[in-house]
Every structure is written in structure tokens, then in C-alpha cells.
Amino acid sequence: MTANISDATKFVPLRVTDPERIPAKRYYDEEYFRLENEKLWPHVWQMACRLEEIPNVGDFVEYTILERSVIVVNTKGGVKAFHNACRHRGVRLAEGPGNCAKTGFICPFHGWRWNAQGDCTFVFGKEIFNPELLDHAEIDLAPVRVEFWGGCAFINFDDDAPSLLDTLGPVAETLNARNVDKLKMDWWYGTILPTNWKLAMEAFMEGYHVMRTHPQLFDLSPGSAYGPDVDGTIPNRNLDAKQMVSNMVDFYARLSDGMAGMVHETEVAVLEKLRHMDVPEDPMAALGAFIAKAQEEVTKDGFARGAPFFDIPSTNQSHPFHDVEFMFPHYFLLPSFAAMSSYRIRPLTAETCLFEIWSLALRPEGEAYDTPKGPTMLPYDSIEFPEIPMQDYSNLPRQQLGLHNFKEMRLSREQEGMISNYQRLVDGYIAGLPLDMLAKATTVVNSGYNAPILDIGF
């Protein structure tokens, strides 16, 4: 098997041969981009929509990935997915979200019709066709495989791929314990970045950039994982116990405002009440006491509001989590207390991508809320974005340009390994390795923020 893997991977252009070095051309080379389109995207599970986008029978959304388009629709028999193409001459039937309960899907070209279940219900002038051409197996909408997790519908164009849960691996259990399936949208933003899709993702795979890119967080953090900063100081080393707690409240508030709701405003309100709590005199002991109390009080508040909460302290112990959880190839969830931020990145061209951000929270069931029907699209340099993504967006286009004059990235084995892990998995798909092997590798790649370089099996 090792020899077969070696034979398959050696023909991958621009492949990662040293896990600490990533060839720069992978981020703009048109041939490599073509191979991703051909070998990767048709075989992976992709987050196509949040189920709250289609709560009623007949509700549908369109999911696009490069030249492919899929309709995800809520039917009487459950949520289904179909290729978004008329079975007559290929016209796309749906654009954006809508409801087809009354009208079904109607081809704007020749008027053929389909119901929400994908059954063809009308062919105009069907007597002019050879009856063999109108067999229902031939003219019903072509199904796309769809499975569900985390309050989302995931699609896969490959009927032979292992199941979604077998591909997600341990990250699913970690986030299930945090009631990820019950999260609801507060808001949803999108932008087109002049950046390769992989480069856009990598800004959220390591914390090494925080000191320079996000100094407002670095300055409020209780310590640095990387030692002294450029001025030779470690943040907050001179704070007393009370200052340490107050500073941590400020940190979470800044994270809430700046990181797309990773800490929800309801959680910040609880933390503010603890700013002057009694704590031990030792600053680090005080920090530990505050965090423990914060988890307890946020939990109590959530249950008191009737939200579908979980016990945060016990869940954090039984199911430790990362600040950023990755689901290959393009989906992120960022937990903190109970709320989460979420990112989805999709390629458009070799050097542009669609980047979406959600703020997600546990809200009481049945609470009235104007759920977004689609992303609020903004220019990538808009000041309306939260400050942390905005800071990342300012770097990424410059990095994309710089890579054209650059040979290879150099990665920290211990802190930037997540980048190496998923990049090598992409090579596995391009090499056409067995799908069960790729699924097993994905369960390893679906690790968290600041993961080290790992053995993914090939």
C-alpha cells in the first residue's frame, strides 16, 4: 500500500513533500486550481446550508461550488438536495432562497415543472417527445447526497464517499456536547476576498498572528503562548488579582464585539456582573476562580432564559474544545462559552473566494427572531465587519500578492501544523487515494486551532 500511495502522490503537481514547507504556487496556479475542482470538491462533504434557512415545507436555498449548483429543499418527506438543472436542456431552475410549496420549480425556458420532491409534474407538449425520453427516472430532478449534522445540511456529489459522521470524526462528539445543533443565527455576513480559498482559511488555523494582527486581544490576554512580545514584555504580568479579573471581562467583551459574536452579548452581560467578584489574592488563582464562576453563571442565565443550554463547566471537562474547530474542507466553528462564530469559505477563482461569517447563539425555542435569509454582502475592506475579521481581511490580499514573488511558506511544526495537515489531505484527494483512507485522514485533520503537524496516514 505504501508503494501505491507513493506512486499516486508523486504525480501531484506542487505537492507538499516537506510538511513544514508549503509551495506558494498552490495558492494561485491555475492547473492546481483545476485539479482541486476536478479531484477535491466532487468528493467531499460540504456545508450547504443551515437548516434554519429552510424551516417550512417548500423552503429552498441554492448552494453553489464553482460551476456546480445544488437546490436544498425542505419537503414533506424531509430535507432533500437536487442538482439545480432542468432535465430537458439544463437551465438552472432556482436562484437564491425561496419557497416552492405552491408552484414547485418551473423552468423559465420551456416551462417544464417539478414539485419539491423533485418529481417532474408537467412537460409542455409532451406528445412531441419520444416516450422513452420522458421516463421519470430520466426527467425527475437528479438527487444529490445529503446528510445532517450540527444544525446544517451537508452535500456530497460522490455516492461512494464514507458517511458524513464517519468523515467528521471526534470533532462531532465534542461539538454535539455543546448543543451545536440548536444554535441559531444572530447575523450572517459575506464578502468576496481577492484571495485563494486556502489562504483565507489559514488565518484561522493558528494563533501566532494575534500579537501583530490583533494587538487589542494580545494586550488583554492573560499571557502569551509565545513568550515576550517585540518589546520584551509579557501581557498582564504586573496585574493584581482584581485587575486580572477586570481585564479578563474586557477581553471577553472585546472578543464579543470583534470576533463575530464568539462570546454572545447575553454572555457578556453576565460577565460584567462578575467584574468585582471576590477572588483569591494570587492573580492566576483569581483568574481561575473568575472563569469557573463565569461558566456557572452563564449556564444559569441560559437555562433561566429558557435557551436549550448545557452545563458549561462539566461539558468543558468531559469534552475539551479548541477555540477554533475545523471541518475539512471549508467549515469552521469557534466556541467559547455557549455561543459560537462560524466561517465558510468557497473558491471562486484561483485567486478569489467567497467568505461567510455567522454569529450563532442558543436562543429560547420559539423566540421571535428575524432569521437572516442570506448573507449581508459587503466589500472585503468594509468597516462594517467586526474588527478581527477586518484585520485579517486587510492582510490576506497583501499576502496573496506577495506569494507571486515567493517560493514556499515555512511552518512552525507545533503551532502551524493545522495548515500542513489539511494541505497534505488536499494532495491525497488530487492523487485519487482510496476514499476510506481519505475519510480516516479527515478525522485527523479535523483538529483544532494551533494543532501540531500530525500523521494523517500518507
Side-chain angles (χ1 to χ4, degrees), residues 85-112:
C86 171
R87 298 304 300 273
H88 174 211
R89 285 169 59 184
V91 175
R92 285 192 175 178
L93 302 174
E95 293 183 355
N99 185 284
C100 66
K102 292 183 178 180
T103 62
F105 298 106
I106 304 174
C107 177
F109 197 4
H110 297 96
W112 287 30

Side-chain angles (χ1 to χ4, degrees), residues 1 5 43 45 145 156 158 160-163 166-168 425 428-429 432-444 456-458:
M1 177 60 73
I5 294 172
H43 304 286
W45 286 104
R145 191 174 173 190
N156 196 320
D158 191 338
D160 295 323
S163 73
D166 286 342
T167 305
L168 285 173
L425 180 54
Y429 273 94
L433 298 183
L435 290 173
D436 57 345
M437 177 181 291
L438 294 170
K440 186 176 180 180
T442 303
T443 67
V444 177
I456 65 171
F458 53 84

Side-chain angles (χ1 to χ4, degrees), residues 186-207:
D186 262 14
W187 49 257
W188 177 8
Y189 287 156
T191 194
I192 295 176
L193 273 176
T195 305
N196 180 270
W197 70 279
K198 300 185 296 299
L199 202 66
M201 299 203 308
E202 291 170 10
F204 307 95
M205 292 183 168
E206 46 80 14

Side-chain angles (χ1 to χ4, degrees), residues 50-278:
R50 295 194 56 78
L51 293 175
E52 61 183 310
E53 296 176 55
I54 49 173
N56 305 307
V57 171
D59 286 347
F60 69 85
V61 296
E62 179 191 12
Y63 173 76
T64 59
I65 180 69
L66 298 165
E67 77 280 1
R68 297 171 183 260
S69 176
V70 176
I71 304 168
V72 184
V73 57
N74 187 345
T75 79
K76 293 178 181 179
V79 173
K80 300 182 184 297
F82 304 101
H83 288 278
N84 186 13
C86 171
R87 298 304 300 273
H88 174 211
R89 285 169 59 184
V91 175
R92 285 192 175 178
L93 302 174
E95 293 183 355
N99 185 284
C100 66
K102 292 183 178 180
T103 62
F105 298 106
I106 304 174
C107 177
F109 197 4
H110 297 96
W112 287 30
R113 298 186 180 192
W114 292 263
N115 62 23
Q117 290 77 30
D119 304 321
C120 186
T121 59
F122 176 76
V123 174
F124 181 68
K126 65 180 180 180
E127 66 277 1
I128 71 174
F129 290 91
N130 183 330
E132 294 180 359
L133 295 179
L134 301 184
D135 184 271
H136 272 285
E138 297 286 333
I139 63 173
D140 290 346
L141 294 183
V144 175
R145 191 174 173 190
V146 60
E147 295 184 15
F148 310 98
W149 174 79
C152 301
F154 289 73
I155 60 97
N156 196 320
F157 296 106
D158 191 338
D159 291 336
D160 295 323
S163 73
L164 172 63
L165 287 181
D166 286 342
T167 305
L168 285 173
V171 70
E173 182 179 350
T174 296
L175 294 174
N176 285 345
R178 310 187 73 80
N179 292 354
V180 65
D181 61 315
K182 296 179 174 60
L183 289 166
K184 301 296 183 183
M185 289 185 277
D186 262 14
W187 49 257
W188 177 8
Y189 287 156
T191 194
I192 295 176
L193 273 176
T195 305
N196 180 270
W197 70 279
K198 300 185 296 299
L199 202 66
M201 299 203 308
E202 291 170 10
F204 307 95
M205 292 183 168
E206 46 80 14
Y208 183 54
H209 70 287
V210 173
M211 181 272 292
R212 182 64 181 177
T213 303
H214 311 302
Q216 75 278 20
L217 291 184
F218 187 78
D219 292 343
L220 290 170
S221 62
S224 170
Y226 308 102
D229 66 15
V230 291
D231 297 321
T233 60
I234 297 177
N236 305 331
R237 63 179 178 178
N238 296 318
L239 296 182
D240 64 25
K242 291 288 188 180
Q243 291 171 327
M244 181 69 85
V245 170
S246 184
N247 194 79
M248 200 64 188
V249 174
D250 290 340
F251 174 80
Y252 284 126
R254 196 68 182 261
L255 197 60
S256 177
D257 291 339
M259 193 61 171
M262 186 176 177
V263 180
H264 195 256
E265 59 184 15
T266 57
E267 298 170 341
V268 174
V270 173
L271 302 181
E272 282 289 349
K273 297 176 183 177
L274 304 178
R275 186 182 290 273
H276 303 294
M277 64 179 281
D278 291 332

Side-chain angles (χ1 to χ4, degrees), residues 324-342:
V324 180
E325 298 284 5
F326 175 52
M327 283 124 278
F328 183 85
H330 71 156
Y331 186 53
F332 293 84
L333 286 165
L334 290 72
S336 182
F337 287 95
M340 299 188 195
S341 302
S342 183

